[in-house]
């Protein structure tokens, strides 16, 4: 078993394709197949089930994938530690982002400054929902990820305060109010956005023993905004996730106000790679200057 085989294993597992893995690694498909077969032979197990033209991880494959990510993370940290002895010049920084609020609002100024200081660090950003980012952190698929505080599973570094707001169509009866309640929103067709914070929104209603009239469930915020703008539903989203150029919507704070603290997280700051540590150090310096 080699680290090269483990890298190929993780990429095949991510892409669910030997062909796509070969393209990403710029090697032949037969080389990918040989690496996986050799790894399976060394471990005396099957990592993937192969049915027709589709592959999926076996149960033991799922377990070993986490181990593989850990081992590759250690390898990357060792390489960066060696390079850092002469100044941090090369390496990979993987960041997990949980949607437009972090990807479009918080990350850009941080990445811009970081790239100016460390131009040869390769930054990879993966976007998923809140739960996916937390799982990627635990599995060490990413070095740093966005979380909502409190989260005692990780070392966290608060960046911004955000709040949930109601979005309404122009001319909606609730648009005349300074703020709206969850109970008022229950009187109208509701769109539940599952782009990242859907569970949190439902928890808000459940806490007040309310049941919204869910007529739509969307996974893309653009779909949410379009539905509301057409007057088909009302919805609740995180304020940071709303683009500045959004039109035909009325944005109202909830009453009582529902805030959330957005933070960057890592599994263990002491064990983090030099690139991850450098990014967090940068965040601590400039996050206070980010617009509220």
């Amino acid at each position: 078993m080699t680290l090269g085989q483990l890298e190929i294993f993780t990429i095949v597992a991510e892409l669910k394709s030997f062909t796509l893995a070969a393209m990403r690694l710029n090697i032949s498909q037969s080389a990918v197949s040989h690496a996986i077969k050799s790894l399976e032979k060394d471990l005396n197990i099957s990592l993937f089930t192969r049915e027709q033209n589709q592959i999926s991880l076996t149960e033991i494959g799922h377990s070993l994938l986490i181990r593989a990510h850990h081992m590759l993370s250690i390898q990357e940290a060792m390489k960066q530690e060696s390079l850092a002895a002469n100044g941090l010049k090369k390496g990979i920084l993987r960041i997990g982002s949980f949607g437009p609020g972090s990807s479009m609002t918080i990350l850009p100024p941080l990445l811009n400054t970081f790239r100016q200081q460390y131009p040869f660090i390769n930054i990879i950003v993966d976007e998923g929902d809140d739960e996916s980012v937390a799982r990627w952190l635990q599995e060490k698929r990413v070095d740093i990820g966005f979380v909502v505080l409190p989260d005692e599973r990780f070392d966290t570094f608060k960046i911004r305060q955000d709040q949930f707001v109601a979005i309404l169509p122009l001319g909606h009866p609730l648009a005349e109010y300074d703020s709206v309640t969850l109970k008022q929103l229950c009187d109208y067709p509701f769109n539940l956005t599952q782009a990242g914070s859907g569970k949190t929104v439902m928890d808000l209603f459940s806490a007040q023993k309310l049941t919204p009239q869910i007529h739509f469930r969307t996974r893309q915020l653009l779909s949410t905004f379009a539905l509301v703008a057409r007057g088909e539903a009302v919805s609740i989203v995180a304020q940071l996730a709303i683009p500045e150029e959004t039109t035909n919507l009325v944005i109202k704070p909830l009453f009582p106000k529902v805030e959330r603290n957005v933070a960057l997280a890592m599994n263990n700051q002491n064990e983090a790679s030099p690139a991850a540590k450098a990014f967090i150090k940068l965040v601590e310096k400039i996050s206070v200057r980010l617009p509220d």
Side-chain angles (χ1 to χ4, degrees):
M1 178 176 64
T2 67
L3 289 172
Q5 291 173 334
L6 292 180
E7 181 182 10
I8 292 173
F9 166 49
T10 61
I11 293 174
V12 172
E14 176 190 349
L15 300 178
K16 297 181 176 62
S17 168
F18 284 70
T19 302
L20 294 177
M23 292 173 62
R24 176 180 291 187
L25 292 164
N26 197 27
I27 60 177
S28 67
Q29 184 174 335
S30 61
V32 172
S33 298
H34 177 72
I36 296 300
K37 288 179 181 178
S38 296
L39 184 57
E40 291 178 323
K41 183 178 179 180
D42 290 343
L43 297 173
N44 195 31
I45 58 169
S46 294
L47 295 168
F48 298 97
T49 58
R50 301 162 177 85
E51 296 181 1
Q52 297 178 347
N53 293 324
Q54 295 183 337
I55 65 170
S56 59
L57 282 167
T58 60
E59 184 176 351
I60 186 62
H62 276 289
S63 298
L64 294 184
L65 179 62
I66 298 174
R67 301 288 188 187
H69 280 302
H70 284 197
M71 294 176 70
L72 292 172
S73 176
I74 292 171
Q75 178 199 31
E76 177 63 23
M78 290 178 66
K79 288 166 58 178
Q80 289 187 22
E81 289 284 359
S82 300
L83 291 168
N86 296 312
L88 184 58
K89 296 179 180 179
K90 295 182 179 180
I92 298 174
L93 177 63
R94 300 178 185 272
I95 301 174
S97 175
F98 57 35
S102 53
S103 299
M104 297 172 59
T105 306
I106 299 175
L107 265 181
L110 296 175
L111 294 180
N112 182 54
T113 304
F114 187 81
R115 287 190 179 107
Q116 290 177 11
Q117 296 183 22
Y118 306 102
F120 301 110
I121 297 295
N122 185 19
I123 302 172
I124 300 173
V125 179
D126 288 315
E127 190 173 275
D129 58 31
D130 303 32
E131 294 178 2
S132 294
V133 173
R135 185 176 70 255
W136 296 341
L137 277 166
Q138 291 176 314
E139 295 175 354
K140 295 197 174 181
R141 287 180 54 183
V142 297
D143 305 298
I144 297 171
F146 283 88
V147 299
V148 175
L149 298 177
D151 197 324
E152 297 179 355
R153 295 171 294 180
F154 310 111
D155 289 340
T156 57
F157 309 85
K158 180 182 173 182
I159 302 178
R160 294 282 295 274
Q161 189 173 71
D162 192 12
Q163 67 173 327
F164 286 101
V165 295
I167 54 173
L168 314 166
L170 292 175
H172 192 276
L174 295 180
E176 64 184 67
Y177 293 89
D178 293 332
S179 59
V180 298
T181 66
L182 296 179
K183 185 176 181 180
Q184 287 175 309
L185 293 173
C186 287
D187 292 334
Y188 303 93
F190 190 81
N191 174 82
L192 179 64
T193 175
Q194 296 175 305
S197 54
K199 182 180 182 301
T200 302
V201 171
M202 287 307 299
D203 287 344
L204 295 176
F205 284 105
S206 297
Q208 295 188 28
K209 298 181 179 180
L210 297 171
T211 304
Q213 299 181 44
I214 299 177
H215 286 210
F216 304 93
R217 288 182 172 87
T218 55
R219 291 196 172 275
Q220 300 294 329
L221 279 172
L222 287 177
S223 300
T224 298
F225 299 145
L227 278 168
V228 175
R230 291 199 302 266
E232 297 189 48
V234 299
S235 191
I236 293 175
V237 299
Q239 189 167 30
L240 281 176
I242 303 175
E244 293 182 1
E245 66 273 13
T246 299
T247 58
N248 299 323
L249 295 178
V250 177
I251 302 168
K252 294 292 181 179
L254 297 176
F255 181 81
K257 192 173 184 179
V258 180
E259 295 180 333
R260 68 172 189 169
N261 291 313
V262 179
L264 280 173
M266 54 176 56
N267 272 299
N268 186 323
Q269 185 179 11
N270 294 327
E271 297 177 0
S273 69
K277 289 179 179 178
F279 191 82
I280 290 298
K281 185 176 181 179
L282 170 69
V283 167
E284 292 178 321
K285 283 184 177 179
I286 74 172
S287 62
V288 294
R289 300 199 300 269
L290 291 171
D292 292 329

